[in-house]
Amino acid sequence: MIRPAELIQRKRDGEEIADGEIAGLVLGYATGEVPDYQMAAFCMAVYFRGLSSRETFALTDAMIRSGETIDLGAALGRKVVDKHSTGGVGDKTSLAVGPIVAACGVPLGKMSGRGLGHTGGTLDKLESIPGFRTELTIDEFVAQVRDVGVAIIGQTADLVPADKLLYGLRDVTATVDQVSLIAASIMSKKLAAGAHAIVLDVKVGDGAFMKTLEEARALAETMIGLGREAGRQVVCLLTDMDQPLGAAVGNALEVREALETVRGRGPADFTELVLDACARLLALSDLGIDEQEGRRRAESAVGDGSAEAAWRRWIEAQGGDADESALPRAAVVREVTAPADGHVTALGATAIGNAALHLGAGRRTKEDTIDHGVGVVCRAKRGDAVRRGEVIAEIHARDEPAADEGARDVLAAYAIGPDPPHERPVLLEVVY
Ligand code: URA
């Protein structure tokens, strides 16, 4: 029997907690014996005191053991790949990567999360598609990866239920941005879902949980270590999150942009990241090709329409309406214009993420419901030349007062100066 109050106190005072105690706490939380308020206090103690590698491993292991696990490789008789992002603003990468990789003949099975703080979540984006089911049974998940080549699902009562609960709790208790909690949350999902090769997109900068390259490297190394212990291949891309990725921020808006990218008509920065991630996943797969050939095949799947066909098969297989016109739209669309001639020198990712959150695209409390149609489209990005009065962004809002507030927030996120800023590529570094 563990005593949660005692564990909270020991962690608060900087002590290491034994593996069995961490397991007791996590499994107790998953079964409802440990209440939210004690788990929240424990997460806050971890936020300030951190976890050792051993404790991080024990936490990941306990989260995996809170539910069932899948051996996708054994079920399909071949190597399955997976990708995950640490969370950003406008990050709809998985939505485009899944069907492209599937169109290249490599199965991708993925367990995703919901929005956290000012960042959006893949599941929330997918649920803007009418009818789309994120809660498949394990058998349905395995069958879909085998038959359709791609499936993206949420944590369920069967798969990593502890992460489902903890993720929601951390979101509303300011305990998201902690290396061990992020690493355990992401890697428990990756290891339980059974893929053998995993590409992790570690976001760095203003809109990311990791603000500096050093912090991002530490998170990358922690996750690579957890993967190695479990016998998986893990590659981490450290990518820019000083500004939103692509143009669209908000659930249905991002689904539309991901589909446009699968058709070869996406924004430049987002397209580059998607193709790079696809190239690396294909190189890690059982196709026996290198990254260059992976990139060529990903580009040709986009160019010849096979990626779009895979998108449709995937959405329909999960019960969704693949017709774009079925996606929800906001009642009001307001344009934001440049106040002066010049260049966009910065576009705050957190500020845009928060503007989208306040418009209703994310949750402020665990019980909040999401408005899937609302959000922001950033027409001008860092480095773009703009003229006074030119449209730099669109606010998609549920009503006029919300559009007024959104327009103010988004304008404040733009810095416009006379000179172009230094170029910062979307891919900053790769950690193996
Ligand atoms: N993504 C996750 O799945 N978990 C986190 O804690 C952060 C990002």
Side-chain angles (χ1 to χ4, degrees), residues 84-87 113 116 163 167 170 176 181-182 185-186 189 209:
H84 204 88
S85 155
T86 57
L116 275 181
D163 182 57
Y167 201 89
R170 286 167 57 221
V176 172
L181 296 180
I182 297 179
S185 163
I186 292 181
K189 289 193 281 279
F209 299 124

Side-chain angles (χ1 to χ4, degrees), residues 242-313:
D242 262 351
Q243 66 173 344
L245 181 62
V249 180
N251 301 289
L253 293 168
E254 292 191 47
V255 171
R256 277 196 200 91
E257 184 164 279
L259 175 56
E260 279 300 284
T261 305
V262 164
R263 290 171 172 152
R265 302 196 295 247
D269 60 340
F270 179 54
T271 300
E272 176 51 34
L273 180 56
V274 165
L275 292 174
D276 192 280
C278 288
R280 287 172 204 277
L281 285 164
L282 296 179
L284 287 171
S285 76
D286 55 11
L287 291 181
I289 58 173
D290 62 12
E291 278 168 20
Q292 225 180 345
E293 175 60 12
R295 173 83 182 216
R296 200 197 58 71
R297 291 196 193 180
E299 282 172 1
S300 87
V302 169
D304 67 15
S306 54
E308 188 182 347
W311 167 287
R312 178 167 282 277
R313 279 199 302 280

